[in-house]
Every structure is written in C-alpha cells, then in structure tokens.
Amino acid sequence: MRSDEVRSAAAACTGLLGGALERDWSARAGTLDMTVAQVVAHVAQVLHFYAADLAGGPAEIDALELRVHADRPPATLVAAVRAAAFLLAATIEASDDDARGFHPSGAADPSGFAAMACDELLVHTDDAARGLGLAFEPDAHLAAHVVRRLFPWAPHGGRSWPTLRWANGRAALGERPRLANWRWHCAPLDEWDGSGP
C-alpha cells in the first residue's frame, strides 16, 4: 500500500464528516468509549504520529509530543485529519521502500504505515458515522488491500468491508465471533510468523 491509498481513505473520511458538521459530535462513536469529536481527533493525531515515526526511524521518539484537541469545532477536526493524511502521504512518498519506523506492533515499513493509516481512517470513520446516525462503507478494493496487508490471518473470499470490521473487533463475521482482542501485522508481510490474533 502507498500514499494514494492514504489519500483515498482520507477523502472518504473527510467527505462523510465534512457533510455532517451540524450533527451532534458529542454523541458516542459507535461502540467506543469516545465521542465522535474524540475519535476524529484521535485519527488526526495518530496520522501525525505515523508521519513522525516513519521519518524518525525504528527507534521510538519519546521526546516528541503531538496533540489534536477534540474540543475544537468539527470543521477544524476534519481539516486536521486532511492535513495529517497529507503529511503522512508525503512522508511515505519521500521514504525508501525498505525504510522502517517505530510502532508498538512492530517496525513498520511505508506500506505498513499506509495500511495502518487507511485502517484508522476507514474504521474510525465508520465509528463516527454510527454516532452521527449515518451509514458508511468504503471502497471494497481499498478495504481488501487493508485486510491483506494488516490482517494476513483474516478469511479471504468474502466481502472486504465486513471482514475489515471483524478484524478490528467491531463485529462478528458469519460464524466467527466478534474479536475481543485484535492486532495487526504492520512489519513487512514476509516477516509474519503465521499466527493469528
């Protein structure tokens, strides 16, 4: 996965949220213990961290503090997501394919950071949409790319969006129960040890 997919996921996110600025952003975001405003601020903050972590290399940069304020107006939060996605996409483009950046789940390469960003954007847009009383379903190809890159143990062959929601612990998937504990594989896929969540 690369920068174009980050931009596509960000466009889906900001497109939906930008059309819902007058709704109640203090509502609970889906099943999360966060408001819509808090989950949108979280997405912007995480994407900023991803850009810094990829640029900074595999060692954690614990001297850096980034904060997106959830108490700002919805339009400002949407702009923060757009800006963070732009910064991350530019960082991915400037990085060598074999570059590594810090992440608690493993030293991610640019593809891993792109996939994690898309996952954050898509899944949390769905969380926010549920809190706002809206429906959200992203492009099936984009969702499928995220599943293949971050969740190699996930079932293939079904619809990608329900599979991505299942892999993130949001819902059951057919006979598969909702995951209480989930994780992703953000290091290069050839380093996956074959285990599941």
Side-chain angles (χ1 to χ4, degrees):
M1 297 190 68
R2 297 299 292 182
S3 57
D4 287 348
E5 288 159 307
V6 174
R7 289 190 178 95
S8 293
C13 171
T14 59
L16 180 131
L17 295 175
L21 301 178
E22 303 305 317
R23 293 185 181 243
D24 181 9
W25 283 49
S26 67
R28 182 176 171 180
T31 60
L32 302 180
D33 241 1
M34 303 170 82
T35 66
V36 170
Q38 288 170 334
V39 81
V40 174
H42 164 78
V43 171
Q45 186 167 304
V46 166
L47 297 186
H48 276 103
F49 267 115
Y50 288 171
D53 288 335
L54 177 56
E60 182 176 11
I61 307 173
D62 59 4
L64 181 63
E65 182 175 324
L66 296 167
R67 182 165 177 220
V68 176
H69 299 271
D71 61 352
R72 300 308 193 259
T76 303
L77 295 176
V78 172
V81 170
R82 188 178 297 111
F86 179 88
L87 289 170
L88 178 57
T91 305
I92 290 168
E93 289 167 357
S95 299
D96 293 335
D97 287 345
D98 61 352
R100 295 296 189 97
F102 173 80
H103 191 275
S105 296
D109 61 356
S111 172
F113 278 109
M116 290 189 294
C118 290
D119 189 78
E120 293 279 351
L121 285 158
L122 300 179
V123 174
H124 284 317
T125 297
D126 182 58
D127 294 329
R130 289 169 188 273
L132 295 170
L134 300 170
F136 175 73
E137 183 163 344
D139 175 77
H141 295 293
L142 180 56
H145 290 172
V146 177
V147 170
R148 282 194 301 272
R149 179 58 186 84
L150 291 181
F151 307 100
W153 48 81
H156 298 287
R159 289 182 54 233
S160 58
W161 177 232
T163 303
L164 185 59
R165 292 190 71 241
W166 170 81
N168 279 272
R170 293 306 194 273
L173 181 65
E175 298 294 316
R176 297 171 189 268
R178 179 177 175 176
L179 295 174
N181 297 301
W182 64 273
R183 66 179 176 90
W184 50 34
H185 179 83
C186 56
L189 281 173
D190 61 8
E191 296 177 11
W192 177 44
D193 65 5
S195 66

